[in-house]
Amino acid sequence: MNTRSAFLLSLAAIAAGVLMIVFNASVGGREIVLGGGILLLLAGVVDILITNLSINRAAKRAEKEAQKNADKKDKNADDTEAAPQSSRGFAFWLTMVVSGAAAIFGIVVISSPMSWISYIPVIFGFVTAVAALMLFYQLVLGSRPATPPSWLYIPAALVAIGAVVDFFLTSPDHDRAMMCVTGIAFCLFGVTMLITGSIVSAFHKAQEKTDERAAKSAEAKKIGTKKPEDEVNEAKKPVALDDEKA
C-alpha cells in the first residue's frame, strides 16, 4: 500500500470508528451491514485507483529522468528505467488481489444485507483482525528503512485484542459493546497508521536531502580536482604563443 492510500484509509478508519462509537445505540443490524459493505467497496476501489495512478506517475517521472541522464550515460538512467517494473512486483499484485476481493465482498454484502446480519460479529472480527495485521506489517516491514518507535506496537496489540473480543460478542445484547470495541479499534488503527506514515515520510525527505548534499559534495570534489589541471593548461597557452611570435 502506498502512502496516499494509507493516508486515505487511515482517515476513513478514524471517521468510521468515531461514527460507530457515537451512534452505537441508534444503528440497527441492517444499517451496520450496509455501512460495512459500502466501506469495503469504497476502500477496495479507491486503493486500486490510487495504486495504479501512483505507479503511472512514477513511470512518467522515471522516463523523464532517463531522458535527462541519457546523454550522461550514467548508471542512474538504467536504475530509473527499472523502477516502474519493480513497482509492479509482489506488493502491487497483493494490493490488487486484496483490494479487489474487498470490493467484490462489499458488493455482495450490499446486495443482500439481511442475510449477513447474523455474521456481523464475525465480519467485524475479521475486518479488525485484518487491520491489526496491516499495522504489524507496516511497523515491521512496510516502514523500512525507517524505524518507528516501539510504543506503536501497543495500539497494534490493542487492535488485535479488539478483533478477538469481536468474535465472542455474538449475542444481540452485545451489539453496543461490539460497536464500541470495533470503533475504538478503527480509531487506533487510523491514528497509528497516520503516525507511522508521517515517520516514514519524514525519513524519506531527510534521506533525499542527504543524497542531494552527497551529490553536491561529490560534484564539488570533481570540480576541485579539475581546477589545477585547467590552470596549468591555461598557464602554458600564453607561453606557447610568445614563443611562436619570437
Side-chain angles (χ1 to χ4, degrees):
M1 182 179 290
N2 57 60
T3 305
R4 190 172 297 178
S5 298
F7 178 74
L8 292 176
L9 180 61
S10 301
L11 293 182
I14 293 172
V18 171
L19 290 175
M20 292 174 73
I21 294 170
V22 173
F23 299 104
N24 67 86
S26 58
V27 178
R30 186 174 182 277
E31 288 78 12
I32 294 173
V33 173
L34 283 174
I38 292 170
L39 281 176
L40 286 170
L41 176 59
L42 290 177
V45 172
V46 169
D47 197 22
I48 289 173
L49 290 176
I50 291 178
T51 301
N52 281 280
L53 286 173
S54 299
I55 287 178
N56 290 335
R57 287 177 181 174
K60 288 179 181 178
R61 285 197 300 267
E63 287 177 2
K64 290 180 180 178
E65 290 177 3
Q67 288 175 359
K68 288 180 181 178
N69 295 328
D71 296 335
K72 297 179 182 178
K73 295 182 179 179
D74 251 353
K75 213 175 179 182
N76 296 330
D78 298 332
D79 294 339
T80 51
E81 287 176 356
Q85 296 177 356
S86 61
S87 62
R88 291 184 181 273
F90 175 77
F92 169 79
W93 292 112
L94 179 63
T95 301
M96 292 296 102
V97 171
V98 173
S99 300
I104 293 171
F105 185 60
I107 294 172
V108 172
V109 171
I110 293 170
S111 62
S112 56
M114 298 305 295
S115 60
W116 292 94
I117 291 178
S118 59
Y119 297 101
I120 288 176
V122 177
I123 294 172
F124 276 27
F126 176 75
V127 173
T128 309
V130 171
L133 289 174
M134 289 177 65
L135 276 181
F136 281 111
Y137 173 82
Q138 188 70 13
L139 291 171
V140 177
L141 298 174
S143 58
R144 288 183 178 180
T147 306
S150 56
W151 61 266
L152 286 176
Y153 287 93
I154 297 175
L158 291 175
V159 174
I161 293 171
V164 175
V165 172
D166 279 341
F167 281 114
F168 288 98
L169 297 175
T170 56
S171 172
D173 298 332
H174 297 152
D175 283 351
R176 293 186 63 181
M178 181 185 61
M179 291 279 288
C180 290
V181 169
T182 308
I184 293 170
F186 280 11
C187 290
L188 288 173
F189 168 80
V191 172
T192 307
M193 286 288 285
L194 286 176
I195 295 173
T196 306
S198 63
I199 291 171
V200 173
S201 178
F203 176 86
H204 285 308
K205 286 180 181 178
Q207 191 67 37
E208 286 177 2
K209 289 182 180 178
T210 303
D211 293 341
E212 286 178 4
R213 289 172 187 166
K216 289 179 180 178
S217 177
E219 190 68 24
K221 286 180 181 178
K222 288 180 181 178
I223 294 172
T225 54
K226 288 179 181 179
K227 273 186 178 179
E229 296 176 0
D230 295 338
E231 289 175 358
V232 170
N233 292 332
E234 287 175 2
K236 286 181 177 178
K237 284 178 182 178
V239 175
L241 290 171
D242 291 340
D243 292 340
E244 286 176 2
K245 287 178 182 179

